[in-house]
Amino acid sequence: MLIPCPLCGARDSREFTPKGHASYLDRPAEDAPPQAWNDYLHLRENPAGDTRELWFHGAGCGAWLVVERNTVSHAVTGARLAREVRDAG
Amino acid sequence: MRVDGRGLIDRSQPVTFKFDGRSVTGYKGDTVASALLGKGVRLMARSFKYHRPRGVLTAGSEEPNALLEVGQGAAMTPNTRATVQEIYSGLTVQSQNRIGPLDRDLLSINDALWPFLSAGFYYKTFMWPRAFWEKLYEPVIRRAAGLGRITRDASPERHEKAFAFCDVLVIGGGPAGLMAALTAAKGGADVILAEETPELGGRLLSDGQEIDGTPAAYWVEDIVKELQATGRVRVMTRTTVTGAYDDGSYGALERVARHVAPADDLPPECFWRIRARQAVLAAGAHERPIAFPMNDRPGIMLAGAVRTYLNRYGVSPGRNVTIFATNDDAHRTAVELMDAGVKVAAVIDSRTGVTAKGDYRLIEGGQVIGTKGRQGLRQITYRAGSRTDTLITDCLAMSGGWNPAVHLTCHLGARPVWDADAKMFLPAPGAVPGLTPAGSCNGAMSTAACLSEGLEAGKAALAALGRPAPQGVSLPEAEDDPGRTQALWYVEGKGRAWLDFANDVTTKDVKLAAAEGYASVEHMKRYTTQGMAPDQGKSSNINALALLADSTGRGIPETGTTTYRPPFIPVTMGAMGAFAEGHGFAPERRTTSDAAARGRGAPMIEAGLWFRPSYFPAPGETTWREACDREVAMVRNAVGVVDVSTLGKIDIQGPDAGAFLDFVYTNMFSTLKVGRARYGLMLREDGHVMDDGTTARLGDHHYVMTTTTAAAGQVMAHLEFVAQGLRPDLDVRIISATEQWAQFSVAGPLSRELLNGVLDQPIDDESFPFMACGAVKVHGVTGRLFRISFSGEHAYEIAVPARYGDALYRDLVARAEALGGGAYGMEALNVLRIEKGFITHSEIHGRVTAHDIGMQRMLSQKKDFVGKAAAARPGLLEPGRERLVGLRPVEAEGRLTAGARLFKEGDPHKRVLDQGYVTSVGYSPTLGHMIGLGFLRHGPECEGQEIVMVDHLRKVKTRVQVVNPVFFDPDGGRARG
Ligand SMILES: [Zn+2]
């Protein structure tokens, strides 16, 4: 599998480690109700199809990426820097 | 027998090898199979279940019968196909799956028991009584079952692995593959052409046909020259592409030196990972046997294989050959055998209205219904209309048609598509992105069509690469008649009709499976073991599913195929895991003091990827404990030196560095003064402890964090995630500096005295109090000094750029020795920290909270931090949780063991009554008894109580007292100095 790192170009997936769904970027506020924290920590979509995942380019530039990937075909259709996804809201 | 004037072997070079201890002579270029057939040897193996005598069925890697052990001793490789193994002088092969000589296998008693050994036999027979399993059934089954055997010793063979990249990967060097490679290369693409056999040409070398008016073998020679002239084609022969993976990745096994005597400078095999922008699959087709009664005797083989033995190896598998045909293609076998002067008894064709292609006896509308010959075919019985007759024959060449080798197109999950007219499964369109099937694997069954599809596939690959089609590649002229085929999967009659020769699966087994409700092809497969042998049913799966379809009243497409998975052929574990053993298993990280430590005779232990000294044996010491006790005392009484460079060192800089640390640590760091260090606790977002360590503030915008050795990588990734993903608003940058700095702990009452010998400016309590840090000059080199302690003693950590590490370590140890101290290792370090109740990842193992380790007060109320919300969950704060305690034996000589369980006194030692467990233990020479840390329900509330430690594994039971985890110097006066 190749992941198109915006900083490094298309690189072998073995340079990356995954962390799970991109919703992990949406950290609740400190005083958010327990249900919000529970959802954030433990509840993940597990789609058969397109999904957005966090990948760390640890053996490369050190960037955290939001990768768009299809869990059925394994097709990777895009990757953005997590920093920019976050800045864009 | 050998046939003069045929074959591509070198008859001027005889080669002698050993088969079951007997010398056999063939020629250079022969396989074991062709050499044995050349000598008239038909019996090569025993079958798996019934131990039936077997010969070769095929001439290729799909061979189900003739599996051999190659080589001797620990270097022996089982299940090697006689049809693939080339002979060389000194080669030793043995037949397998037998007890006693091949021609008198003692287990052939199974053959007489066949009515009882049907599908699901094991499931039905060995059900009960349960007690019989271990003692009786399993040993018996294990002895008799399993294809081949493995050596118990590690193989001395050293394989390679390698990576390759290309524009176009062409899989298969037959007519389609050659045309595709030539077209792609002439169009400017870099091409890898992988061919499974030693020679390019594919079936062009097996069939006596012509291309552009010349014998096909000559045309192949010309094309190979043309390929080489392009300078763009890497030809990899003896290389099987074993799997198709994501994004144009392919696995391939190259048999680098399986065809020559073992040599030190050649790996037997190399496993390739090939990344190709485009690929052309030209894998050809596998001929189908016909499941007629008693179709498994040596001498019964595929019609196409007979032509391969004749034209490629100059061998006729028989002197008087009969052909059982369902198609025009098989008639070629008769024609070519007769051309070569071999007698053809008859061609029995299941069809009517067929014309003979030569001067041979043609029996139309005929089917073979029985055979005779104990260790090789002697006679067949056939039925034609209402007539039944026999023929004397020593070789039966059968052909049920051809199955396109669609395997690789299915490796990403696609299912092949049934073509009802052609009666074959074809690759699904777009099954593997970037891969174009061409030739007979795509259903093109004439040579002309193969050449044409190869050319088009080459052009398609070029187009996908954005390259125009090349000039000057023209389509050669070749035979354009695919012939006609009648679907004949099996023949009804008396006696067993084999489908899967390798696993001894017969038509009866599949019918039984269907009758017993195993109607799904995947269930039938597992119930009968159809297609589960090393050949993965290449020659039998389609026949079996056609029979299943008939038995269940469904069509073939509704029945469907089983899943095709990589690898396409068996791959040795050694090749796939090349280098991943011994030193190659994982990278090895060595500290700058590694050579000095080893030079002092220290046994090294692994800490993650690092190697660290366990202890430093002194003259006269006979056990590690003696050394450890001495080193502990040395640190407590004088001074010790230990390399702590393996701890993660993370440099954190930026105007918001303090705010960033406040967010990743539970306690405050923005308030830390420059020139001071502080212990920090880090949680995961789920509220459990991730790591701990000290972080020092070197400047307003500059901190350096220390992590544990074990969690350095995890913490680095975590910090980057927080900085980039959660807090991009903070202006902070992070980089690992673990390998840039060599860092040594100097610990003990004399530590400052030692350091003042190496520092350009001496320090005292005022200039360098406890938890101070700052830049220092060490012998003129700029370094860093931290007054921190992991031993409880007055201690420092001194860091210099890594290139000075070796020199500084040797200097520090020499100075320590002059002061009555010296180097200490991990064992002593561990005892020292347990004496002080300091935790490591033995304690913070991922399931404990700050509350559990008594650090709840480190969770700041003034700010948000990672893990804060989750750590406040009531369940994580219950007093009854397993919490950190110290443990000491009630009797001084009592033994503690890590991993042992804790029980209340008087309670039975049952899991339901378990109160906790021991995490770290050591013998404290300071206190004169063992000490331990552990987690106990209600933890600190139980201090003073006596409980029981039970180690079920090591059979240890010790009465222990629960104590405070800080065993030594509880008020910390020694570290403050
Ligand atoms: Zn990158």
Side-chain angles (χ1 to χ4, degrees):
Chain A
M1 198 168 94
L2 292 176
I3 293 179
C5 175
L7 303 180
C8 307
R11 308 293 292 223
D12 193 289
S13 61
R14 276 170 293 189
E15 294 183 7
F16 299 80
T17 41
K19 193 184 173 74
H21 196 263
S23 60
Y24 204 62
L25 292 173
D26 307 325
R27 187 175 185 269
E30 185 186 351
D31 55 357
Q35 192 55 48
W37 275 100
N38 183 59
D39 290 356
Y40 172 72
L41 284 170
H42 303 302
L43 299 184
R44 293 284 181 279
E45 295 297 323
N46 185 20
D50 291 331
T51 189
R52 293 164 72 242
E53 294 171 332
L54 289 161
W55 288 76
F56 178 51
H57 199 185
C61 63
W64 276 94
L65 309 179
V66 174
V67 176
E68 288 166 28
R69 193 174 77 87
N70 188 295
T71 58
V72 176
S73 70
H74 293 189
V76 175
T77 49
R80 295 172 65 197
L81 295 175
R83 183 184 290 278
E84 289 173 3
V85 173
R86 179 82 188 170
D87 284 349
Chain B
M1 68 174 191
R2 291 287 172 181
V3 179
D4 289 336
R6 296 286 175 132
L8 306 169
I9 50 170
D10 184 351
R11 300 215 188 190
S12 69
Q13 292 199 54
V15 174
T16 301
F17 67 102
K18 279 214 156 75
F19 171 65
D20 280 348
R22 282 177 297 161
S23 284
V24 180
T25 302
Y27 298 102
K28 190 171 163 39
D30 263 327
T31 61
V32 170
S34 69
L36 289 175
L37 288 174
K39 288 290 181 190
V41 178
R42 291 186 294 175
L43 175 59
M44 295 185 202
R46 285 279 173 171
S47 76
F48 168 57
K49 197 156 90 175
Y50 302 126
H51 292 258
R52 299 264 306 169
R54 291 284 168 80
V56 288
L57 179 74
T58 73
S61 69
E62 72 273 30
E63 173 62 30
N65 277 339
L67 305 181
L68 305 167
E69 294 178 349
V70 176
Q72 288 170 302
M76 186 274 284
T77 306
N79 291 334
T80 304
R81 289 135 295 167
T83 50
V84 173
Q85 178 64 51
E86 296 168 61
I87 61 169
Y88 55 81
S89 185
L91 171 71
T92 306
V93 300
Q94 295 89 230
S95 57
Q96 60 186 36
N97 212 32
R98 61 182 164 86
I99 293 178
L102 182 59
D103 55 1
R104 283 187 296 125
D105 178 2
L106 299 175
L107 284 173
S108 55
I109 182 70
N110 282 9
D111 195 30
L113 296 172
W114 75 269
F116 309 104
L117 292 171
S118 58
F121 166 70
Y122 295 136
Y123 304 122
K124 290 168 184 163
T125 310
F126 296 129
M127 292 282 282
W128 60 270
R130 204 170 154 184
F132 279 25
W133 253 110
E134 206 175 318
K135 292 260 160 24
L136 185 63
Y137 296 153
E138 199 174 318
V140 169
I141 292 172
R142 282 202 188 283
R143 172 137 197 210
L147 271 168
R149 61 189 171 102
I150 55 164
T151 62
R152 290 281 159 184
D153 301 320
S155 172
E157 294 188 323
R158 290 293 168 265
H159 303 285
E160 286 266 11
K161 65 178 171 190
F163 296 81
F165 301 84
C166 61
D167 293 327
V168 182
L169 169 65
V170 179
I171 302 161
L178 288 171
M179 283 308 289
L182 185 67
T183 307
K186 289 212 165 180
D190 288 323
V191 176
I192 290 177
L193 173 55
E195 162 58 36
E196 184 170 54
T197 72
E199 304 287 340
L200 291 173
R203 284 226 55 95
L204 296 179
L205 306 182
S206 295
D207 295 338
Q209 22 176 326
E210 296 196 334
I211 295 183
D212 278 348
T214 62
Y218 294 144
W219 180 84
V220 171
E221 264 180 44
D222 290 344
I223 291 291
V224 171
K225 280 184 198 140
E226 227 179 319
L227 286 174
Q228 281 160 351
T230 65
R232 296 193 161 279
V233 183
R234 273 173 285 173
V235 175
M236 295 173 67
T237 52
R238 300 186 174 95
T239 302
T240 309
V241 177
T242 56
Y245 304 92
D246 294 323
D247 290 326
S249 297
Y250 296 86
L253 182 72
E254 180 183 11
R255 286 168 293 278
V256 179
R258 287 289 189 207
H259 61 296
V260 291
D264 288 341
D265 57 347
L266 273 180
E269 294 173 354
C270 177
F271 192 78
W272 289 87
R273 289 164 177 84
I274 302 173
R275 194 178 283 287
R277 290 180 208 281
Q278 290 289 308
V280 175
L281 180 67
H286 293 127
E287 197 167 25
R288 277 195 298 272
I290 303 164
F292 60 85
M294 307 313 281
N295 61 341
D296 76 326
R297 298 187 195 280
I300 302 177
M301 61 180 75
L302 293 167
V306 171
R307 297 203 296 279
T308 300
Y309 287 115
L310 180 66
N311 290 314
R312 202 157 173 164
Y313 301 105
V315 167
S316 173
R319 294 171 187 281
N320 182 20
V321 183
T322 306
I323 288 107
F324 182 14
T326 62
N327 54 69
D328 296 346
D329 186 66
H331 286 248
R332 280 196 207 167
T333 307
V335 173
E336 289 180 24
L337 284 170
M338 290 177 74
D339 278 356
V342 180
K343 191 177 167 197
V344 170
V347 174
I348 301 168
D349 198 314
S350 63
R351 303 168 299 171
T352 50
V354 188
T355 45
K357 294 198 159 110
D359 184 21
Y360 49 78
R361 181 182 170 199
L362 174 63
I363 300 166
E364 291 184 72
Q367 293 181 348
V368 179
I369 56 166
T371 67
K372 277 189 177 164
R374 236 183 94 67
Q375 302 201 344
L377 182 68
R378 225 174 47 216
Q379 175 188 310
I380 62 166
T381 308
Y382 66 92
R383 179 176 57 213
S386 55
R387 186 168 54 96
T388 300
D389 208 344
T390 59
L391 274 176
I392 300 297
T393 186
D394 61 351
C395 175
L396 180 66
M398 61 180 158
S399 176
W402 294 79
N403 298 328
V406 301
H407 305 65
L408 263 70
T409 69
C410 304
H411 284 180
L412 295 189
R415 296 277 174 174
V417 180
W418 178 249
D419 182 327
D421 294 331
K423 298 279 191 297
M424 54 177 70
F425 279 102
L426 297 177
V432 173
L435 178 130
T436 310
S440 53
C441 73
N442 198 35
M445 288 299 160
S446 76
T447 304
C450 285
L451 293 165
S452 163
E453 286 206 358
L455 178 77
E456 293 307 317
K459 284 188 194 167
L462 287 170
L465 293 168
R467 293 177 175 278
Q471 304 295 312
V473 182
S474 55
L475 192 61
E477 270 183 42
E479 187 195 46
D480 196 16
D481 179 15
R484 290 175 306 113
T485 302
Q486 181 194 44
L488 178 66
W489 317 107
Y490 54 93
V491 174
E492 300 282 3
K494 241 183 99 181
R496 280 167 288 173
W498 273 265
L499 292 159
D500 184 335
F501 295 93
N503 263 357
D504 267 337
V505 180
T506 65
T507 52
K508 180 191 158 193
D509 296 319
V510 173
K511 288 178 188 168
L512 184 66
E516 294 185 354
Y518 296 92
S520 143
V521 66
E522 298 282 3
H523 291 161
M524 177 276 285
K525 166 184 168 170
R526 283 154 183 85
Y527 196 56
T528 63
T529 71
Q530 161 66 42
M532 291 169 73
D535 71 319
Q536 291 284 291
K538 287 194 183 68
S539 49
S540 56
N541 280 344
I542 303 295
N543 284 349
L545 83 88
L547 173 57
L548 182 68
D550 286 355
S551 305
T552 55
R554 293 170 301 178
I556 288 174
E558 291 77 33
T559 306
T561 64
T562 52
T563 310
Y564 296 83
R565 291 189 183 88
F568 177 70
I569 55 157
V571 178
T572 53
M573 300 286 276
M576 220 173 247
F579 300 133
E581 56 185 317
H583 289 295
F585 181 70
E588 293 180 356
R589 300 179 82 180
R590 298 190 174 197
T591 62
T592 58
S593 65
D594 190 86
R598 287 177 201 257
R600 287 172 171 274
M604 305 300 277
I605 52 167
E606 290 172 56
L609 300 178
W610 291 99
F611 283 82
R612 305 185 76 181
S614 180
Y615 58 94
F616 292 85
E621 288 173 350
T622 53
T623 67
W624 69 270
R625 255 290 301 284
E626 285 177 75
C628 177
D629 289 356
R630 173 181 49 78
E631 290 169 20
V632 170
M634 189 178 80
V635 173
R636 293 273 178 246
N637 301 318
V639 59
V641 177
V642 64
D643 192 329
V644 292
S645 309
T646 60
L647 273 71
K649 294 178 282 291
I650 300 174
D651 209 71
I652 299 165
Q653 300 196 35
D656 295 327
F660 174 74
L661 288 168
D662 284 347
F663 190 69
V664 296
Y665 275 129
T666 63
N667 47 333
M668 297 295 281
F669 276 83
S670 55
T671 55
L672 184 68
K673 290 196 185 76
V674 174
R676 285 291 183 273
R678 181 171 284 169
Y679 176 79
L681 187 68
M682 202 178 280
L683 304 187
R684 297 192 308 247
E685 197 70 272
D686 66 5
H688 292 78
V689 177
M690 175 187 278
D691 199 38
D692 68 347
T694 52
T695 287
R697 188 168 199 174
L698 300 178
D700 279 342
H701 298 168
H702 187 191
Y703 293 78
V704 60
M705 173 189 285
T706 310
T707 76
T708 57
T709 300
Q714 180 199 357
V715 170
M716 185 67 202
H718 171 67
L719 296 185
E720 289 287 15
F721 178 74
V722 172
Q724 298 173 36
L726 299 182
R727 297 300 304 271
D729 57 306
L730 298 178
D731 189 359
V732 63
R733 289 296 182 273
I734 306 154
I735 195 160
S736 166
T738 305
E739 282 166 1
Q740 280 66 30
W741 293 91
Q743 193 156 322
F744 308 104
S745 173
V746 180
L750 303 180
S751 55
R752 186 159 58 208
E753 189 178 338
L754 189 161
L755 280 175
N756 279 338
V758 302
L759 297 175
D760 293 3
Q761 293 287 326
I763 53 166
D764 55 26
D765 255 337
E766 205 167 312
S767 62
F768 236 88
F770 185 55
M771 297 310 270
C773 69
V776 289
K777 289 271 186 191
V778 189
H779 293 309
V781 172
T782 301
R784 292 170 178 172
L785 189 65
F786 309 85
R787 187 167 167 188
I788 52 180
S789 177
F790 195 54
S791 59
E793 294 301 321
H794 180 174
Y796 301 83
E797 289 189 9
I798 184 166
V800 289
R803 62 186 177 281
Y804 301 110
D806 178 62
L808 181 60
Y809 179 78
R810 289 175 195 272
D811 185 43
L812 292 173
V813 172
R815 287 168 189 272
E817 284 171 344
L819 293 169
Y824 65 104
M826 289 307 102
E827 295 295 345
L829 182 141
N830 195 44
V831 171
L832 289 162
R833 68 97 189 168
I834 299 172
E835 286 181 342
K836 284 296 295 176
F838 291 144
I839 53 174
T840 66
H841 278 277
S842 294
E843 283 72 41
I844 45 174
H845 49 53
R847 292 180 292 122
V848 305
T849 64
H851 165 73
D852 298 339
I853 54 173
M855 292 192 186
Q856 185 66 17
R857 278 176 307 164
M858 285 188 68
L859 271 50
S860 170
Q861 299 300 314
K862 296 180 196 152
K863 53 155 189 161
D864 190 15
F865 57 85
V866 172
K868 183 176 187 181
R873 288 179 285 179
L876 298 188
L877 296 169
E878 280 175 9
R881 283 177 64 84
E882 290 166 344
R883 294 155 66 194
L884 184 69
V885 292
L887 299 165
R888 56 170 294 169
V890 173
E891 323 290 343
E893 66 280 7
R895 186 178 163 206
L896 304 183
T897 55
R901 311 301 308 189
L902 302 173
F903 295 92
K904 284 181 185 160
E905 228 169 13
D907 269 359
H909 306 151
K910 286 183 173 172
R911 190 179 56 79
V912 288
L913 298 168
D914 182 280
Q915 296 297 306
Y917 53 98
V918 182
T919 52
S920 299
V921 300
Y923 177 79
S924 166
T926 318
L927 303 173
H929 55 77
M930 287 201 80
I931 54 174
L933 299 176
F935 287 87
L936 179 68
R937 291 189 188 282
H938 291 280
E941 298 167 32
C942 303
E943 267 181 38
Q945 291 179 11
E946 283 183 16
I947 58 171
V948 181
M949 185 210 87
V950 180
D951 188 330
H952 293 97
L953 206 61
R954 301 185 189 92
K955 308 265 186 282
V956 179
K957 187 181 144 190
T958 309
R959 285 174 62 221
V960 295
Q961 187 181 31
V962 181
V963 294
N964 188 286
V966 186
F967 293 91
F968 180 69
D969 189 29
D971 62 2
R974 296 174 73 91
R976 288 188 185 82

